[in-house]
Amino acid sequence: MSVRLLDPNLLPPTLWDSSSGTLILPPALARAYQTVIDRHGLRELAESRDQKDPPYGGPEKERTDKHLAQAFVSSVARTQLALLDPNNDLPLVSNSFISCLAGNSVNLTDAPCGAGAAVFSFLANIAELRSQNVLPREPLDVVLVGAELSGSARAYAEEILLQLRPSLEAQAIFVNSEFREWDVTNSLSNTDLIQRVTITSSKCSKRLLIVANFNGYLEKERKRKDSVHQIEELFRHASGKNSMAIWIEPNMNRATSIGGTFSWLRALLGEKWRQFARESFGGDDPKPISTSSAHFRLPLNPNTSARRVHLAVMSVDLGRAK
């Protein structure tokens, strides 16, 4: 077992209820979500989720609204589970995140970012751990590039960050952000994103590429073939010293089965991408992923029964082969 940089026994009650084994979303992010949901009249939609038919995002505003209302908090909790790892299921993943976000400067590229659930979960959890004196309050300059096809999702991300920013800055986390249109099936759109990431990351000491909740688009809408070249370019240009990628999905067959998103990604890592990307860990384990699960409290109805979130995650070292 790896030595943990974040001891699960030190997790504060503002993020983890150890007696019931339940995640609590970072208070500042929960408030920001509630504000945006109510501002846009989406509370009723948020409370009508069909557990058997989870939504995934798309370019249309109707789909974006449904995804924000019904899937945002699950995405936050899934990312939080990867970072905090309260059950000690994936210590190396947690260590990678803590090391990357401890201080100094970092470029975070979130593609696709949706309304920002994954990247905001990382930042808000780090801020809350600092506020509870679990992590040191070292200055952290974040250059955030969010890439997303849906204009409505990008607008929601801007709104949520505006609400979240004071709590981040109170913990010495300073975010310089931009949210860009990105079509993963379009080579020119992908080139524009890569150019911005290259420019904005030039003075950062670390780089983290976040890919989260993408299997619905790649697998269900059969976009894998149209996207593979652009994803390869994105990973290749993100590679270099002190660079890593994290791919987070719900632990479902579409992502984790043979032939699913993660086995496809692992095949690319073992063949075409070996000069600039490789699994950070996993060794001889035939499964390409680490998994975990936990209950989490719903921020709109914290006194109701908790929902369970299932995580599958793969960490990729983007240090180039010598």
Side-chain angles (χ1 to χ4, degrees):
M1 181 65 68
S2 300
V3 176
R4 292 288 303 272
L5 297 179
L6 175 61
D7 186 343
N9 295 318
L10 299 180
L11 294 178
T14 53
L15 296 176
W16 175 247
D17 182 349
S18 58
S19 63
S20 62
T22 303
L23 290 166
I24 302 166
L25 302 195
L29 183 51
R31 289 192 300 269
Y33 171 75
Q34 291 169 348
T35 297
V36 173
I37 285 292
D38 288 336
R39 179 183 293 158
H40 294 275
L42 298 175
R43 184 176 282 259
E44 183 177 352
L45 182 61
E47 295 173 345
S48 63
R49 172 173 171 156
D50 181 356
Q51 295 292 335
K52 297 180 180 179
D53 185 25
Y56 62 94
E60 303 87 358
K61 187 175 187 302
E62 181 179 1
R63 287 175 63 183
T64 296
D65 286 353
K66 187 174 183 180
H67 190 264
L68 174 71
Q70 298 184 352
F72 184 90
V73 294
S74 295
S75 297
V76 170
R78 193 175 298 113
T79 305
Q80 182 174 2
L81 183 58
L83 176 68
L84 302 183
D85 186 28
N87 300 319
N88 238 346
D89 292 325
L90 28 105
L92 291 175
V93 173
S94 176
N95 283 356
S96 296
F97 289 143
I98 296 299
S99 176
C100 186
L101 299 171
N104 211 333
S105 60
V106 60
N107 173 268
L108 298 180
T109 301
D110 189 358
C113 68
V119 70
F120 295 155
S121 181
F122 283 133
L123 296 177
N125 273 282
I126 292 293
E128 183 62 19
L129 290 168
R130 290 179 173 203
S131 75
Q132 298 297 318
N133 298 315
V134 176
L135 293 180
R137 189 174 171 272
E138 298 291 337
L140 175 62
D141 293 313
V142 177
V143 178
L144 168 60
V145 179
E148 170 61 40
L149 183 58
S150 169
S152 298
R154 297 195 304 272
Y156 285 138
E158 295 272 15
E159 283 190 61
I160 294 170
L161 180 56
L162 183 64
Q163 297 291 321
L164 193 60
R165 195 180 293 276
S167 65
L168 298 177
E169 293 184 354
Q171 299 304 320
I173 300 173
F174 305 99
V175 181
N176 184 359
S177 64
E178 61 178 84
F179 295 92
R180 302 180 55 84
E181 182 177 4
W182 178 58
D183 180 353
V184 69
T185 66
N186 184 293
S187 59
L188 288 178
S189 176
N190 199 58
T191 296
D192 289 343
L193 171 61
I194 289 170
Q195 288 175 344
R196 285 304 300 162
V197 171
T198 301
I199 292 169
T200 58
S201 66
S202 61
K203 296 183 180 180
C204 294
S205 59
K206 297 179 181 178
R207 293 193 291 182
L208 174 61
L209 172 61
I210 304 165
V211 182
N213 310 306
F214 211 12
N215 78 85
Y217 183 76
L218 293 176
E219 310 299 340
K220 199 169 184 179
E221 296 200 6
R222 302 180 183 275
K223 296 293 187 179
R224 186 198 289 182
K225 183 177 179 181
D226 295 334
S227 304
V228 63
H229 177 68
Q230 285 73 241
I231 293 174
E232 178 181 336
E233 278 194 323
L234 184 60
F235 271 68
R236 185 172 67 250
H237 285 274
S239 67
K241 186 178 179 181
N242 296 324
S243 298
M244 66 173 290
I246 187 78
W247 196 308
I248 296 173
E249 295 289 352
N251 188 1
M252 59 173 60
N253 287 337
R254 199 166 61 221
T256 61
S257 64
I258 296 174
T261 300
F262 281 117
S263 64
W264 168 69
L265 178 61
R266 199 181 202 197
L268 290 171
L269 292 171
E271 298 172 4
K272 296 182 179 180
W273 298 8
R274 65 178 62 184
Q275 289 187 319
F276 58 87
R278 65 201 60 82
E279 289 178 71
S280 296
F281 32 84
D284 297 327
D285 189 339
K287 295 191 299 181
I289 55 173
S290 299
T291 61
S292 188
S293 64
H295 284 94
F296 72 97
R297 246 177 241 170
L298 299 170
L300 297 182
N301 299 289
N303 297 321
T304 63
S305 58
R307 183 184 297 166
R308 194 160 189 86
V309 67
H310 301 277
L311 164 72
V313 57
M314 188 169 179
S315 182
V316 179
D317 180 358
L318 294 178
R320 294 176 184 172
K322 296 181 179 179

